[in-house]
Amino acid sequence: MYLFTRMARLAATHVVDGVEWAATITDKVNQITSLDVGLWASMLSPRLGAVSWGCAVESLADLEDADAKLMADPIYLDLVTKGATITTGEFDDLTAQYVFNPAPDLDAKYVAVVQGQLANGAFGRGMGVGVEIAERATAIAGGTASTSFLVGVTGGYGSCAWITGAATLRDLERAEQAVNTSAEFIALIDEKAADCFLPGVTTQEIWRRLH
């Protein structure tokens, strides 16, 4: 199972109509393809004004088939052209493979995304620790949130991410607080994760589903 995301950044003068455009193009993609694409916006995080389209697929071929259908649709292509005037003009695609929890809560309305990078010489151990972190975080959350672990297929080599989804921002906050105050979880990070991931490159963001 793969997670595909496409991120854009809305121009400061087009935030309102930019969200409307992003929702319209989401509906169009779901109409043309068999993908179930959701629209997300960054909140309380860097990259103010960022929006992201995301979907889970069984294979990379599913994405190739969907792209072929989109490239043949003139209405979709017109919407893409319109986006050049509404966004900053920069679009980034990323694809990652689920390693743990390949069937995340697709009804989640809020997600916390922690991105890191596996250290050279520690890929095997890092993958194991990454899964253990996701398992432990999910258990500590007690059913209010679920954490997946993914490894990048595109982007920085060795990139990885933990994605925690919850139905409400309050549930996500409670899960984060429970994890961050768990002595057992802190010990796991200190004792096992320190030499498995590159220092100084880990980031955290919160995203809210718009459509």
Side-chain angles (χ1 to χ4, degrees), residues 64-81:
E64 183 180 37
D65 292 344
D67 187 63
K69 294 177 181 178
L70 293 172
M71 291 299 102
D73 189 277
I75 297 178
Y76 170 79
L77 295 177
D78 286 344
L79 287 169
V80 172
T81 300

Side-chain angles (χ1 to χ4, degrees), residues 7 18 29 37 40 66 72 91 95 103 115 121-122 125 132 171 173 197 208:
M7 192 184 73
V29 170
V37 176
W40 300 78
F91 291 79
T95 306
Q115 292 181 289
R125 285 185 293 110
E132 189 173 352
D171 285 341
E173 181 181 12
F197 305 96
R208 175 169 62 96

Side-chain angles (χ1 to χ4, degrees), residues 42-47 111-116 162 176 180 201-207:
S42 175
M43 65 176 295
L44 308 175
S45 303
R47 296 188 288 194
V111 295
V113 181
V114 176
Q115 292 181 289
W162 296 265
E176 292 283 292
N180 291 334
V201 301
T202 306
T203 62
Q204 300 182 79
E205 296 178 331
I206 296 175
W207 292 80

Side-chain angles (χ1 to χ4, degrees), residues 10-208:
L10 301 176
T13 55
H14 288 282
V15 174
V16 175
D17 57 334
V19 170
E20 294 176 355
W21 163 81
T24 300
I25 205 168
T26 304
D27 287 336
K28 189 62 179 174
V29 170
N30 287 333
Q31 177 188 357
I32 297 171
T33 73
S34 59
L35 304 178
D36 183 15
V37 176
L39 174 65
W40 300 78
S42 175
M43 65 176 295
L44 308 175
S45 303
R47 296 188 288 194
L48 181 65
V51 293
S52 178
W53 296 269
C55 65
V57 296
E58 289 290 341
S59 71
L60 299 180
D62 292 335
L63 295 173
E64 183 180 37
D65 292 344
D67 187 63
K69 294 177 181 178
L70 293 172
M71 291 299 102
D73 189 277
I75 297 178
Y76 170 79
L77 295 177
D78 286 344
L79 287 169
V80 172
T81 300
K82 183 179 180 181
T85 64
I86 292 176
T87 69
T88 60
E90 298 177 2
F91 291 79
D92 286 313
D93 288 357
L94 285 174
T95 306
Q97 186 170 20
Y98 284 96
V99 178
F100 173 76
N101 196 13
D105 181 7
L106 297 180
D107 293 326
K109 297 297 186 292
Y110 295 85
V111 295
V113 181
V114 176
Q115 292 181 289
Q117 189 164 355
L118 295 164
N120 292 335
F123 271 50
R125 285 185 293 110
M127 293 274 281
V129 173
V131 168
E132 189 173 352
I133 289 172
E135 288 177 329
R136 198 73 58 86
T138 299
I140 292 171
T144 61
S146 176
T147 300
S148 299
F149 178 59
L150 305 89
V151 173
V153 174
T154 61
Y157 184 71
S159 60
C160 59
W162 296 265
I163 300 180
T164 301
T168 68
L169 184 60
R170 188 175 297 277
D171 285 341
L172 184 63
E173 181 181 12
R174 287 172 177 166
E176 292 283 292
Q177 289 177 345
V179 168
N180 291 334
T181 57
S182 167
E184 183 182 17
F185 187 83
I186 293 171
L188 168 62
I189 299 299
D190 288 345
E191 295 171 8
K192 293 188 177 181
D195 61 346
C196 291
F197 305 96
L198 293 181
V201 301
T202 306
T203 62
Q204 300 182 79
E205 296 178 331
I206 296 175
W207 292 80
R208 175 169 62 96

